[in-house]
Structure formats: C-alpha cells, structure tokens
Amino acid sequence: MTLKLYENNSYIKEFTATVLSIEASGENFEVILDQTAFFPEGGGQAADKGEINGIAVLDVQEKGDTVVHTLAQPLEIGKTVNGKIDWPLRFLRMQNHCAEHILSGVIHKMFGYNNVGIRLFSDTVNEFLYFIRNVRYNLNGRA
C-alpha cells in the first residue's frame, strides 16, 4: 500500500520516500514507494510528471491501493529517494479539472445534461477549450 500524500495536500511539491519494490517493464522500470505525492492518472486527469532522484517520471498509475511510478532507470530497493512534482503542470491540471466541474454544473443547471466523463490530457485540453468557446457563443446567442 502506498501512502498518497496528495490526498492530504494537493499543493505538495517535493517529498521523500523509501523504495519498496522495482520491476522491469519493457525498457522501463515500475517503482513502488512507501509514499508519494505523484497523482496517478484517473478521474479524467493525466498523471503527474516530475522526477525521482533526478530520473524523469514517465507515468504514474494506481493498481489497487498501490501507486506505480514508471521510470526509465532503476532505483535501489530500500533506498530513500527524493521526489519532485512538475508543479506548473500539476497546477494547470488542477485548474482545468476545477473548471470542468464548474462548467459541467452550469451546463447541467441550464440544459439538464450530466457529465459522463472528460479527459483533460494535454492533447484534449484544446478540445475542451474549443467546447467552452462554443458554449459561451451559444449562451450569448440565447441571452
């Protein structure tokens, strides 16, 4: 089980942890830490990016109650490591996620439509912004 530091403090930018396990996965390595501030992909939000001991975190996934970090290089089991979140990216994604909830609430209130899901990844944020512009245009046309 991984202690999910982001659940108690979504503004955490750096942390220390102990490497519990590591497994080769193709050319990369899946690393499990005792605790993490890296938000895994989920709820329509992309996984955090950043680094652990200077090694880029390529992906973060949740498997049950464990958070798995994908790195291009291995780490040593039992070693204490330092994690650093790509804060500007995390904050942007937090804002986009919040904006999506606000917009979904407005659309539900005005038109009765429920949000059944949205993925706010870098390649889809532009689609989301296009959608917002169209909604704003249509709402202004109704006014």
Side-chain angles (χ1 to χ4, degrees):
M1 181 173 137
T2 307
L3 178 62
K4 300 166 186 169
L5 300 172
Y6 53 84
E7 288 183 343
N8 292 322
N9 181 1
S10 58
Y11 292 89
I12 189 168
K13 299 173 186 173
E14 295 186 33
F15 66 99
T16 59
T18 302
V19 179
L20 299 179
S21 72
I22 184 163
E23 286 186 28
S25 177
E27 297 179 5
N28 298 316
F29 298 88
E30 293 185 343
V31 176
I32 297 174
L33 306 174
D34 66 332
Q35 61 181 9
T36 188
F38 283 94
F39 186 84
E41 177 183 347
Q45 190 167 324
D48 277 335
K49 300 293 183 189
E51 57 185 45
I52 297 174
N53 276 13
I55 303 169
V57 175
L58 306 174
D59 191 25
V60 185
Q61 295 292 320
E62 194 167 21
K63 295 182 181 177
D65 59 359
T66 302
V67 177
V68 180
H69 309 77
T70 303
L71 283 70
Q73 299 173 24
L75 295 169
E76 185 180 330
I77 294 175
K79 184 176 181 181
T80 299
V81 294
N82 297 307
K84 184 176 180 182
I85 305 297
D86 178 340
W87 177 247
L89 181 62
R90 156 80 76 83
F91 192 63
L92 174 67
R93 289 178 174 167
M94 288 169 58
Q95 290 175 316
N96 287 338
H97 189 85
C98 183
E100 179 272 327
H101 280 281
I102 293 168
L103 182 61
S104 293
V106 169
I107 291 170
H108 176 75
K109 185 172 184 174
M110 293 185 73
F111 304 107
Y113 294 115
N114 291 319
N115 178 354
V116 294
I118 186 167
R119 290 175 51 108
L120 295 176
F121 291 61
S122 60
D123 58 339
T124 59
V125 170
N126 286 335
E127 294 172 19
F128 179 64
L129 295 175
Y130 176 77
F131 173 72
I132 290 172
R133 281 192 292 273
N134 281 329
V135 168
R136 184 175 54 205
Y137 173 79
N138 288 327
L139 291 178
N140 287 337
R142 289 176 49 128

